Structures are given as structure tokens and as C-alpha cells.
Amino acid sequence: MAFKLFKRKLEPKPIFAALGTDMHCHLVPKVDDGSKCLEESIDCLRTLKAVGYSKVIITPHFQYPRFPNDEDEIRRLYEELKVEAEREGVGIEMIGVGGEYRIDTGFAKRLENPRFLLVGGKYVLVEFSLHQQMMGCDEMIFDMQMKGYEVILAHPERYPYLNVQGTRMEQLKNQGVYFQINALSLGGFYGEEAKHKAYEMLDAGWVEFMGTDTHNTMYAQALTELSNDRKVMKVLEKHEFLNKTL
């Protein structure tokens, strides 16, 4: 007798209620490699709500020259999304729009006249290249700190040139940089190396924030599956994150 085995569809569990706020996602439509339309953004926001988040800060890419976004335009588009989310009754509180700023060849010029969209009113979320770190990163981070900004480095577990056992990651911590891991790294979404490093960082006490980095419905589906992961549930029970302060 021929038959097919079907994978049981997992329902979302509200395990991320312990965090309260997702502070890293790309749901302003059509401004970067994230959501492509309002409908997709609304679907993703519903998933965030279903897995336990009560608040969200959306953080589009600012990356020269790939995503040369303008802060004022991002604010306008964010407000359009917020109105639509309220109209659709999504039920998650949209508490602000930040940015994910790539430290790249255009970043030094941005520092001359900073207009950063801040996470929680005080943090600048930055990212490095996934391939190699740009020279002068430390100096630019220091310049930001001297201007009064707190710096969060997005998903350090994903950079192949950063390791818990190496000196570079420790230098960044000693410089006062906060680390934000991606929740999906804990489930292997970005590969086993990123997963392993994320858990190592947690064990070392080097993680202050956790974000979903949700880009689209594929990420949202992965987040639903992750919400059924018992190991991730234990991480959220064991560790304290600063998300709840946002």
C-alpha cells in the first residue's frame, strides 16, 4: 500500500513574550531586501504577535550604495505601515522605526552629519559586512560613542571572522558594544557555525539583545517553527535580555 508521510504543521507558541519587543526586522515594504509589499509585512507582524511579541521596532537597512535610504522617507513609509497594521487589527504595538546601518565606505560621511534612526531612542544598530570587516570600524564606533550614541552590533554570530575564542569579539565587548543575536541563529537558519557561535556567546554572557531579523514570510515560518524548539525556550527562561527595556 502506497502512502505519504506528511510533516505536521507546527502552530506558533508565544515563547518570545519573555522578550516583549522585537528590535530588529525589515518590514517597511520595498526599501531593502525585506518585505516586498504591505500584505507581506502585515502577515509577518501577525506572526510576531503569535510567537509572543507585544511590541516591535522596525529597522530597515542603510547600506551604501545598495540601500541608500533616507531617514525622512523611511519615517513616512513606516507611518503608512503602522496605519495599515492598526486598520488590520494586528494587535502588536509598533513603537518606532530604527535603522540597521552598515559600517561601509559611506558610513564616515554619515557620521559628519548624523541623522540616525535610533532603536529605543538611544541605540544605533550597526552591522558589518558578512565577508570581511572594513578597516577603521573601531574608530567609527568610538566616534559614535563620543557623540553620545550606544552601539549595538547586529548578529555577530554570522560574521565568519568573529569568534568567541578570538580577541576581536572581546575587543568589541571591551569597547562597550552591545551584541544582538538573531533568534533564528539558534535554530540553525543561517547554518551550524552561526548556531554554534550564538550559543557560545550566550554561555559567555556576551548577548544583550535578541532580534528576529524577519525579512519576509519565509523568515516568519521559520520563526513559527523555532517557537516550538525546547532548547530555545530554555534559553529564554535562563537568560536576561535588554529587549524588555525598550
Side-chain angles (χ1 to χ4, degrees), residues 110-142:
R110 187 182 294 279
L111 276 175
E112 295 174 4
N113 182 29
R115 300 169 58 215
F116 296 116
L117 296 178
L118 302 177
V119 171
K122 62 184 288 189
Y123 302 101
V124 180
L125 181 67
V126 302
E127 66 169 342
F128 296 157
S129 166
L130 290 174
H131 306 292
Q132 62 181 17
Q133 187 171 334
M134 180 181 164
M135 296 295 291
C137 280
D138 289 3
E139 290 80 2
M140 285 187 272
I141 289 173
F142 180 75

Side-chain angles (χ1 to χ4, degrees), residues 9-11 23 26 34 47 89 124 138 160 178 184 188 203 205 219 225 228 232 239:
K9 183 178 179 181
L10 297 174
E11 296 297 325
M23 41 69 67
H26 298 267
T47 297
V124 180
D138 289 3
Y178 296 92
L184 290 176
D203 290 341
Y219 284 70
E225 295 173 6
N228 288 265
V232 176
H239 295 273

Side-chain angles (χ1 to χ4, degrees), residues 1-244:
M1 180 183 294
F3 62 91
K4 295 182 179 180
L5 294 177
F6 293 94
K7 183 178 179 181
R8 183 172 62 90
K9 183 178 179 181
L10 297 174
E11 296 297 325
K13 295 183 178 179
I15 68 169
F16 294 101
L19 295 177
T21 302
D22 180 22
M23 41 69 67
H24 182 177
C25 61
H26 298 267
L27 299 181
V28 173
K30 297 186 287 188
V31 299
D32 57 15
D33 57 347
S35 170
K36 300 306 179 188
C37 61
L38 273 173
E39 291 79 7
E40 184 170 41
S41 296
I42 295 300
D43 286 345
C44 290
L45 288 169
R46 286 198 172 104
T47 297
L48 293 180
K49 175 68 175 177
V51 298
Y53 290 103
S54 57
K55 302 176 184 179
V56 62
I57 299 170
I58 298 178
T59 52
H61 283 293
F62 288 81
Q63 179 184 333
Y64 179 84
R66 188 181 178 195
F67 304 119
N69 284 316
D70 173 78
E71 281 83 356
D72 289 337
E73 178 65 5
I74 291 297
R75 286 192 189 94
R76 185 185 69 79
L77 295 171
Y78 165 79
E79 290 298 329
E80 288 183 0
L81 173 60
K82 186 176 181 179
V83 168
E84 183 67 13
E86 291 173 352
R87 190 182 71 82
E88 290 287 335
V90 172
I92 192 168
E93 185 180 359
M94 296 174 62
I95 62 173
V97 59
E100 183 181 14
Y101 292 87
R102 171 72 63 90
I103 296 184
D104 53 23
T105 54
F107 194 80
K109 186 175 182 180
R110 187 182 294 279
L111 276 175
E112 295 174 4
N113 182 29
R115 300 169 58 215
F116 296 116
L117 296 178
L118 302 177
V119 171
K122 62 184 288 189
Y123 302 101
V124 180
L125 181 67
V126 302
E127 66 169 342
F128 296 157
S129 166
L130 290 174
H131 306 292
Q132 62 181 17
Q133 187 171 334
M134 180 181 164
M135 296 295 291
C137 280
D138 289 3
E139 290 80 2
M140 285 187 272
I141 289 173
F142 180 75
D143 285 348
M144 294 170 68
Q145 292 170 326
M146 288 301 96
K147 292 178 186 293
Y149 298 111
E150 302 277 1
V151 179
I152 303 173
L153 178 60
H155 43 64
E157 76 279 7
R158 296 185 60 201
Y159 307 122
Y161 48 83
L162 291 184
N163 294 283
V164 175
Q165 294 82 9
T167 60
R168 185 73 189 98
M169 194 174 281
E170 187 173 6
Q171 287 171 350
L172 289 166
K173 291 308 298 178
N174 290 338
Q175 194 174 346
V177 176
Y178 296 92
F179 285 172
Q180 172 254 305
I181 62 170
N182 283 0
L184 290 176
S185 292
L186 300 176
F189 187 79
Y190 306 98
E192 287 303 310
E193 181 180 353
K195 177 180 179 178
H196 179 69
K197 283 200 288 184
Y199 277 104
E200 279 190 319
M201 290 170 61
L202 286 165
D203 290 341
W206 283 1
V207 180
E208 288 82 21
F209 294 93
M210 185 185 295
T212 69
D213 204 359
T214 299
H215 280 62
N216 52 45
T217 52
M218 180 184 73
Y219 284 70
Q221 178 57 43
L223 197 61
T224 293
E225 295 173 6
L226 189 73
S227 73
N228 288 265
D229 188 317
R230 292 185 181 275
K231 189 173 182 180
V232 176
M233 294 179 194
K234 291 180 179 178
V235 166
L236 293 167
E237 292 170 359
K238 178 180 178 182
H239 295 273
E240 291 289 330
F241 298 92
L242 293 180
N243 294 59
K244 63 181 64 175

